[in-house]
C-alpha cells in the first residue's frame, strides 16, 4: 500500500490542530525589530509636529498609533507589543536626550498592554471594523492607565496636582480632557483611520517579505493560552507594577534620569541621528531576512534535488 505524501510544512511555523501558527525564534526577532524600528521612526516624526496650547489643555500628537496597530494586526501581537514601546525609548528618549529613568518602565508597560490587546482583537486584518476598534483600544488602555496613575500619585501625595485657578477638583477635569484629546487625535485621526486604510492593502503582501504566512482568521490569537481570566490577572499585575514604578520615580526624583536635551542644544537637525539609527537597524533586518530566506530556499531546492536523485536511482535498480 502506497504511503500518502508528507504534508508541506507551514512557512510560518508549526500550526496546531485548533490554534494559531507558532513563529520560530528568528521570526519572533524579526517582528520585534520591525516593530521597534518603525515605531521609533514614527515617534521621531511626532517630535516635529508642534503642540498647540489651548488654556490648560495641550493639543498634541502623542504617537502615531496606526503603526503598532498595523504591525500587531499583520504579525504576532505579542512581539509587536514588546518591540514598539522599546523603539520609542531607544530611538527617541535615549538618542534625543530625554530619558526619564525608571519612569520609562511605566510607559513601556502601559503601551505594551494597549498594543497587545489591540492586536489580539484583530482576528482578520482585512476587517476595517476590527482595525477601527484596535486603533482606539491602544490609546484607551495606554491613556486610561496613565490617567489613573497620575490621579493616584496626587491622591497618595507623591506628586503635586496641576489645578485650574479657582477649581480645586480640576485634576479630574484635566485628566478627562487630556484623555479625550488623545483619543481623538492619536486614537482616531492617527490611529484607527490610517490603520483601516493601510492594513487591508498590506495584508498578504508584506508578510512573505519576512518569510511569514498571513494571519489566518480561522485561527485567531487568544489573549492568553490559559484563558482570558489569566490575562486579566496578568494585566492587573502589570498595571500595579507600572503604578509602583511611577511612585518610585516621583519619590527618588532623578533616579536614572538622563536629559541632556540634544534637540535644544543642536536643533531639530539632531533628529536625523535617531532616524539614521532606526534606518540602519531596519535595513540590517531586511538584508538579514533576505539572506535567511534565500538560504532556506537553496537548502530546500538542494533537498528536493537529492530526493529526486534517490528516487531515480531506486527506479533504475528495480
Amino acid at each position: 500500500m502506497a504511503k500518502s505524501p508528507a504534508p508541506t510544512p507551514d512557512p510560518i511555523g508549526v500550526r496546531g490542530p485548533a490554534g494559531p501558527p507558532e513563529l520560530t525564534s528568528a521570526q519572533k526577532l524579526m517582528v520585534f525589530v520591525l516593530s521597534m524600528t518603525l515605531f521609533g521612526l514614527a515617534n521621531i516624526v511626532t517630535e516635529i509636529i508642534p503642540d498647540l496650547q489651548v488654556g490648560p489643555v495641550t493639543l498634541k500628537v502623542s504617537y502615531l498609533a496606526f503603526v503598532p496597530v498595523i504591525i500587531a494586526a499583520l504579525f504576532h501581537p505579542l512581539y509587536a507589543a514588546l518591540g514598539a514601546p522599546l523603539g520609542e525609548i531607544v530611538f527617541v528618549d535615549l538618542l534625543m536626550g530625554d530619558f526619564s529613568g525608571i519612569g520609562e518602565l511605566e510607559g513601556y508597560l502601559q503601551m505594551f498592554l494597549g498594543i497587545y490587546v489591540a492586536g489580539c482583537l484583530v482576528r482578520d486584518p482585512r476587517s476595517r471594523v476590527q482595525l477601527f476598534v484596535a486603533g482606539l483600544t491602544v490609546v484607551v488602555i495606554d491613556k486610561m492607565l496613565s490617567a489613573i496613575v497620575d490621579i493616584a500619585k496626587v491622591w497618595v501625595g507623591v506628586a503635586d496636582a496641576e489645578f485650574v485657578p479657582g477649581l480645586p477638583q480640576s485634576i479630574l477635569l484635566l485628566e478627562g480632557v487630556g484623555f479625550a484629546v488623545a483619543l481623538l487625535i492619536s486614537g482616531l485621526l492617527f490611529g484607527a483611520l490610517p490603520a483601516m486604510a493601510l492594513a487591508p492593502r498590506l495584508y498578504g503582501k508584506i508578510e512573505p517579505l519576512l518569510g511569514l504566512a498571513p494571519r489566518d482568521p480561522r485561527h485567531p490569537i487568544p489573549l492568553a493560552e490559559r484563558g482570558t481570566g489569566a490575562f486579566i490577572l496578568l494585566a492587573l499585575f502589570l498595571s500595579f507594577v507600572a503604578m509602583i514604578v511611577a511612585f518610585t520615580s516621583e519619590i527618588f526624583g532623578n533616579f536614572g534620569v538622563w536629559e541632556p536635551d540634544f534637540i535644544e542644544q543642536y536643533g531639530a537637525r539632531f533628529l536625523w541621528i535617531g532616524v539614521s539609527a532606526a534606518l540602519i537597524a531596519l535595513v540590517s533586518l531586511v538584508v538579514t531576512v533576505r539572506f535567511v530566506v534565500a538560504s532556506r530556499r537553496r537548502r530546500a531546492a538542494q533537498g528536493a534535488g537529492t530526493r529526486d536523485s534517490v528516487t531515480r536511482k531506486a527506479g533504475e535498480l528495480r
Side-chain angles (χ1 to χ4, degrees), residues 88-209:
E88 179 183 4
I89 294 175
V90 173
F91 298 113
V92 179
D93 298 335
L94 282 173
L95 290 181
M96 299 300 106
D98 189 23
F99 183 72
S100 57
I102 191 175
E104 294 289 348
L105 183 58
E106 175 199 353
Y108 180 92
L109 293 175
Q110 293 166 355
M111 180 61 70
F112 163 77
L113 287 174
I115 297 173
Y116 179 68
V117 173
C120 291
L121 290 177
V122 179
R123 299 169 60 93
D124 185 357
R126 295 165 294 187
S127 172
R128 287 180 167 82
V129 174
Q130 295 176 15
L131 291 167
F132 180 85
V133 173
L136 296 180
T137 299
V138 172
V139 179
V140 168
I141 294 178
D142 177 41
K143 296 303 180 182
M144 181 179 64
L145 292 177
S146 179
I148 292 174
V149 169
D150 290 341
I151 294 173
K153 287 192 293 187
V154 174
W155 181 65
V156 173
V158 297
D160 296 328
E162 296 181 6
F163 295 118
V164 175
L167 189 59
Q169 303 300 326
S170 59
I171 181 173
L172 296 177
L173 176 62
L174 291 179
E175 292 292 343
V177 171
F179 175 83
V181 169
L183 185 61
L184 175 63
I185 297 178
S186 298
L188 182 63
L189 297 180
F190 292 94
L193 296 181
M196 291 169 59
L198 295 174
R201 290 179 170 83
L202 294 174
Y203 178 75
K205 299 180 178 67
I206 191 172
E207 298 92 341
L209 299 177

Side-chain angles (χ1 to χ4, degrees), residues 43-92:
N43 277 276
I44 293 175
V45 173
T46 61
E47 294 290 325
I48 305 174
I49 302 176
D51 299 341
L52 179 62
Q53 191 73 28
V54 180
V57 180
T58 302
L59 303 179
K60 65 176 182 178
V61 182
S62 300
Y63 40 75
L64 304 181
F66 73 91
V67 175
V69 167
I70 291 176
I71 299 174
L74 295 179
F75 304 107
H76 199 292
L78 176 60
Y79 307 105
L82 288 172
L86 184 61
E88 179 183 4
I89 294 175
V90 173
F91 298 113
V92 179

